[in-house]
C-alpha cells in the first residue's frame, strides 16, 4: 500500500469537464482520490523538502570553496620607511579559499534530518490511508442509501396498489373510508422517507465529488454492488495478529522517540570540540611599473583551528538535562501509545464481531418481517385482514429495514476501523 500511494500521487492532475459521467469501482475511486487530493500532493512535497534539508545538512560537513576578486587604490599615497619611499599603487587581488569545518553536532543534525525525512514519508502514507478510508466510507454510504431507497420504494409500490384497491372498494361500498385513509397516511409517510433518503444520497455523492476533486455537475456511477463489497472474510480479519510495526501512528511515535533521543545527543555534542581547516591561494597584481613596490601577500596559506568550550556557567549542562527529561517524557508517551493501540485492537475486534452478529440477526429479522408483511398484504386483498393490521405490519417492516440498514453501516464502519489499525 505504501509504495502504491507514493507512485499514485502526482503534482498535477487532469481536470474533468463538466457534465462528465464517471463510472467507478471502489478501488478506482480510491486511486482517483489519492491522485487528485491536494493534501497528499503537499505531503509529497514535504518529503522532497525533508530530503533537501537532509542533503543540506550533509553538505555542510563537506569542503566549501569560495572565489574572490578585489581592487584597491590608495590614491597616490606612498609609504616612507626610514627614508626609503615605497609606492602604494593600485592593485588587483584574485583569491580562492577552501575550507572544512566539522563538529560532532553537525553529524547528529544530519541524522536528525534523516529522521525528519522518514517521518514525512510516514505522514504521506497515513494521509493516503485517511483519504482512501474516507472514499470507502462515502462509497459504501452511497450504496447503502440507495439500498434504503430501493427497499422503501418496493414498500411504496405495494401500499399504493393496496390503497388504489381500497379506494375502489370504498366507492362500491365494500370498505370503510377510514381504511383508505389509514393506508393513504402510510403512503405519504413512505413518500416523505423516500424523498429524505434521496436527499441523503445526493449529499453523499456531493461529499464524494469533493474528495475526487470533480465538478459539481459530474454524474458518478458506482459499479461495485453492496453485496460484492460486503462479501468479506470478516473472521480472518478478526483472527489476524496485530503488528505494531505496521501501524502508522506507532511508526510516527517511534520516529518521534528516536528524534527526541537524537536531540539529546545533539545538545551534548554542542559542547564538544570543533575543528576547522582552510587553504587560501592569492594572486596579487600591482597596476604600476614602479620597482619600489612591496608585496606582502603570500600566494598560499593554510590554517587549522581547534575550538574547545571551557566554561558555560552550567548553561550547557542544564540544556542537556532538559533534553534528557524531554526524552524520558517521550518514552512514557510511546509506552502509553503501545498500550492504547493494543487495547484499541481488542476493542475494534469486539466491535466488528458484535456488528457482524447484529447484522446477521437484523437481516433475518427483516426477511421474516418482509414475509409477514407480504402475507398480511395478501390477506388484506382477500378481506381477511384489516387496514390497521396492514399499516401496523408496514410500520414494523419499515423499522426492521431501518435497523437492518443501520447494522450494515455499523458493520462496514467496524471493518474499516479495524483495517486501518492493521494497515490492511
Amino acid at each position: 500500500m505504501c509504495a502504491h500511494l507514493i507512485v499514485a500521487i502526482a503534482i498535477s492532475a487532469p481536470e474533468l469537464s463538466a457534465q462528465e459521467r464517471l463510472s467507478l469501482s471502489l478501488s478506482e475511486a480510491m486511486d482517483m482520490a489519492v491522485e487528485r487530493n491536494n493534501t497528499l500532493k503537499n505531503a509529497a512535497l514535504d518529503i522532497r523538502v525533508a530530503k533537501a534539508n537532509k542533503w543540506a545538512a550533509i553538505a555542510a560537513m563537506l569542503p566549501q570553496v569560495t572565489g574572490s576578486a578585489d581592487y584597491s587604490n590608495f590614491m597616490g599615497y606612498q609609504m616612507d620607511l626610514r627614508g626609503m619611499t615605497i609606492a602604494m599603487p593600485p592593485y588587483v587581488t584574485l583569491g580562492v579559499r577552501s575550507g572544512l569545518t566539522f563538529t560532532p553536532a553537525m553529524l547528529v543534525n544530519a541524522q536528525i534530518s534523516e529522521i525528519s525525512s522518514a517521518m514525512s514519508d510516514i505522514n504521506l502514507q497515513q494521509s493516503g490511508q485517511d483519504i482512501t478510508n474516507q472514499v470507502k466510507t462515502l462509497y459504501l454510504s452511497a450504496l447503502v442509501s440507495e439500498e434504503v431507497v430501493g427497499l422503501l420504494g418496493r414498500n411504496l409500490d405495494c401500499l399504493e396498489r393496496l390503497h388504489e384497491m381500497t379506494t375502489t372498494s370504498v366507492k362500491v361500498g365494500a370498505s370503510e373510508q377510514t381504511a383508505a385513509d389509514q393506508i393513504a397516511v402510510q403512503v405519504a409517510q413512505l413518500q416523505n422517507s423516500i424523498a429524505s433518503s434521496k436527499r441523503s444520497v445526493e449529499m453523499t455523492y456531493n461529499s464524494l465529488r469533493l474528495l475526487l476533486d470533480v465538478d459539481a455537475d459530474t454524474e458518478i456511477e458506482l459499479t461495485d454492488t453492496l453485496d460484492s463489497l460486503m462479501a468479506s472474510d470478516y473472521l480472518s480479519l478478526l483472527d489476524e495478529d496485530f503488528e505494531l510495526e505496521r501501524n502508522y501512528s506507532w511508526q510516527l511515535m517511534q520516529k518521534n522517540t528516536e528524534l527526541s533521543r537524537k536531540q539529546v545527543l545533539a545538545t551534548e555534542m554542542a559542547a564538544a570540540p570543533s575543528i576547522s581547516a582552510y587553504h587560501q591561494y592569492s594572486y596579487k597584481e600591482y597596476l604600476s611599473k614602479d620597482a619600489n613596490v612591496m608585496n606582502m601577500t603570500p600566494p598560499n596559506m593554510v590554517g587549522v583551528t581547534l575550538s574547545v568550550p571551557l566554561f558555560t556557567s552550567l548553561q550547557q549542562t542544564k540544556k542537556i538535562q532538559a533534553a534528557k527529561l524531554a526524552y524520558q517524557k517521550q518514552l512514557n508517551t510511546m509506552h502509553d501509545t503501545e498500550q492504547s493501540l493494543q487495547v484499541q485492537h481488542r476493542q475494534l475486534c469486539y466491535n466488528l464481531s458484535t456488528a457482524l452478529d447484529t447484522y446477521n440477526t437484523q437481516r433475518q429479522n427483516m426477511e421474516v418481517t418482509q414475509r409477514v408483511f407480504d402475507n398480511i398484504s395478501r390477506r388484506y386483498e382477500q378481506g381477511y385482514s384489516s387496514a390497521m393490521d396492514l399499516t401496523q405490519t408496514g410500520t414494523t417492516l419499515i423499522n426492521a429495514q431501518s435497523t437492518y440498514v443501520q447494522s450494515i453501516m455499523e458493520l462496514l464502519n467496524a471493518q474499516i476501523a479495524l483495517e486501518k489499525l492493521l494497515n490492511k
Side-chain angles (χ1 to χ4, degrees):
M1 178 180 177
C2 296
H4 169 71
L5 287 175
I6 294 176
V7 172
I9 294 173
I11 300 303
S12 62
E15 294 295 329
L16 293 171
S17 61
Q19 302 297 336
E20 183 173 350
R21 181 183 180 89
L22 283 177
S23 297
L24 297 172
S25 66
L26 176 58
S27 61
E28 289 171 343
M30 291 191 295
D31 289 343
M32 184 175 179
V34 166
E35 179 183 355
R36 300 172 66 85
N37 186 267
N38 288 325
T39 300
L40 295 182
K41 292 177 186 178
N42 290 338
L45 292 175
D46 286 340
I47 292 180
R48 296 171 62 179
V49 170
K51 288 182 177 179
N53 290 334
K54 179 188 72 173
W55 286 109
I58 294 174
M61 296 183 290
L62 302 178
Q64 312 292 315
V65 180
T66 57
S68 63
D70 175 61
Y71 168 78
S72 298
N73 192 326
F74 292 89
M75 306 300 292
Y77 175 75
Q78 293 183 338
M79 181 183 295
D80 186 0
L81 185 62
R82 294 184 179 181
M84 183 176 64
T85 301
I86 301 176
M88 303 290 289
Y91 65 87
V92 175
T93 304
L94 300 177
V96 177
R97 180 185 178 94
S98 59
L100 175 65
T101 301
F102 175 79
T103 65
M106 296 172 65
L107 181 61
V108 178
N109 288 333
Q111 295 173 345
I112 289 176
S113 298
E114 178 70 25
I115 297 173
S116 298
S117 177
M119 292 178 67
S120 297
D121 183 68
I122 296 172
N123 276 321
L124 171 63
Q125 306 309 322
Q126 189 174 47
S127 298
Q129 184 188 61
D130 291 339
I131 294 299
T132 54
N133 283 336
Q134 291 177 35
V135 172
K136 187 174 184 179
T137 299
L138 289 173
Y139 195 102
L140 293 169
S141 296
L143 291 176
V144 170
S145 297
E146 290 176 344
E147 177 75 8
V148 172
V149 173
L151 291 173
L152 294 176
R154 288 192 291 273
N155 295 343
L156 180 61
D157 291 340
C158 179
L159 286 174
E160 285 179 336
R161 179 175 56 82
L162 295 175
H163 178 256
E164 183 179 355
M165 182 196 73
T166 305
T167 302
T168 303
S169 298
V170 170
K171 289 179 180 180
V172 299
S175 298
E176 297 287 341
Q177 181 62 43
T178 55
D181 293 341
Q182 287 176 336
I183 299 176
V185 169
Q186 192 160 49
V187 167
Q189 290 175 342
L190 270 177
Q191 289 172 339
N192 291 336
S193 297
I194 291 174
S196 176
S197 297
K198 288 182 177 179
R199 288 192 293 269
S200 177
V201 171
E202 185 59 27
M203 289 176 59
T204 303
Y205 274 109
N206 285 336
S207 298
L208 190 56
R209 290 184 184 98
L210 287 175
L211 277 179
L212 297 178
D213 191 25
V214 298
D215 191 84
D217 295 327
T218 302
E219 183 179 352
I220 300 177
E221 178 186 5
L222 308 183
T223 59
D224 283 335
T225 64
L226 185 61
D227 290 338
S228 65
L229 294 178
M230 292 192 64
S232 303
D233 190 357
Y234 299 104
L235 296 180
S236 64
L237 187 62
L238 289 171
D239 292 336
E240 186 165 342
D241 293 333
F242 176 43
E243 299 177 9
L244 273 173
E245 293 76 10
R246 295 185 59 183
N247 182 270
Y248 289 137
S249 296
W250 188 86
Q251 290 177 19
L252 283 174
M253 183 59 63
Q254 186 184 42
K255 290 299 180 182
N256 269 319
T257 304
E258 185 178 351
L259 183 63
S260 182
R261 181 171 62 86
K262 290 296 183 181
Q263 287 171 340
V264 173
L265 184 59
T267 307
E268 292 174 340
M269 291 300 101
S274 63
I275 186 171
S276 60
Y278 73 92
H279 168 261
Q280 179 172 302
Y281 170 77
S282 298
Y283 171 76
K284 194 172 196 178
E285 178 68 24
Y286 285 96
L287 305 179
S288 172
K289 296 181 179 180
D290 195 325
N292 294 325
V293 174
M294 182 180 296
N295 186 356
M296 301 183 61
T297 302
N300 290 284
M301 183 183 298
V302 295
V304 178
T305 301
L306 176 65
S307 177
V308 181
L310 297 179
F311 181 68
T312 60
S313 300
L314 297 180
Q315 179 185 23
Q316 192 63 30
T317 302
K318 293 304 179 182
K319 286 184 178 180
I320 294 173
Q321 183 181 13
K324 288 181 176 179
L325 292 174
Y327 175 56
Q328 185 60 51
K329 286 177 59 179
Q330 187 63 34
L331 288 176
N332 294 337
T333 303
M334 184 173 181
H335 175 75
D336 291 343
T337 301
E338 291 179 2
Q339 296 295 322
S340 176
L341 289 173
Q342 293 288 357
V343 172
Q344 185 179 1
H345 175 248
R346 295 183 61 181
Q347 182 63 47
L348 291 179
C349 287
Y350 171 79
N351 292 347
L352 179 58
S353 178
T354 302
L356 182 59
D357 292 340
T358 302
Y359 164 74
N360 290 328
T361 300
Q362 295 304 324
R363 183 182 60 181
Q364 294 174 2
N365 178 59
M366 188 195 68
E367 292 172 352
V368 171
T369 308
Q370 183 70 57
R371 290 197 299 268
V372 171
F373 176 76
D374 293 340
N375 182 51
I376 294 296
S377 298
R378 287 191 298 268
R379 289 173 60 84
Y380 178 77
E381 291 182 85
Q382 298 168 2
Y384 294 111
S385 295
S386 65
M388 180 65 72
D389 293 334
L390 179 64
T391 55
Q392 288 179 346
T393 308
T395 300
T396 302
L397 176 59
I398 293 173
N399 292 335
Q401 290 172 341
S402 176
T403 306
Y404 166 69
V405 169
Q406 183 179 354
S407 70
I408 292 178
M409 286 307 305
E410 290 177 354
L411 176 61
L412 295 174
N413 288 333
Q415 177 190 5
I416 292 173
L418 183 56
E419 287 177 341
K420 179 180 179 181
L421 185 71
L422 297 174
N423 193 13
K424 295 287 290 181

